[in-house]
Structures are given as C-alpha cells and as structure tokens.
Amino acid sequence: MKAARLEADYARLRAQLEALQAAPEKDFAKIDALIDELEKLQLAIKAAHGIKGNNPNE
C-alpha cells in the first residue's frame, strides 16, 4: 500500500514537472526543487520494494 501511495505522489509530481518544463517562461528554481523531490520519492519507492540506492546491481 505504501508503495502505491508513493508511486501516485511520484506521478503527480512528474506531471507538475512536465507542466513547468512546457511553460513558456521556465521557473528553474521550481523545476530543480521538483527534481529533488522526485529523486527522494524514487528512492523511497525502491526502498518499499527492497532496493537500496541507485545502483541497479544492489
């Protein structure tokens, strides 16, 4: 259940990031902040599935 909620949050933030990137005037501070949040969520999703870190060999 936790992984599903994390994945939903990831999808929501990903949609926000895509909207910011498509905007005529880029807000790079918000884009950078969203990328940081997406990275944290990605690691949390991996942890929920028993994977640690960004190394695919772990």
Side-chain angles (χ1 to χ4, degrees):
M1 186 67 164
K2 180 182 178 184
R5 193 175 110 236
L6 290 170
E7 289 170 12
D9 289 346
Y10 184 91
R12 179 182 49 79
L13 289 179
R14 181 70 190 170
Q16 288 178 10
L17 176 61
E18 289 174 5
L20 284 172
Q21 290 174 326
E25 290 191 29
K26 309 292 186 245
D27 185 341
F28 291 106
K30 284 185 181 179
I31 290 172
D32 287 343
L34 273 176
I35 290 170
D36 290 342
E37 288 301 313
L38 284 166
E39 181 182 13
K40 291 175 190 174
L41 276 173
Q42 180 184 25
L43 292 174
I45 291 167
K46 286 182 172 186
H49 290 285
I51 301 169
K52 295 181 181 179
N54 281 326
N55 185 346
N57 297 318
E58 290 181 350

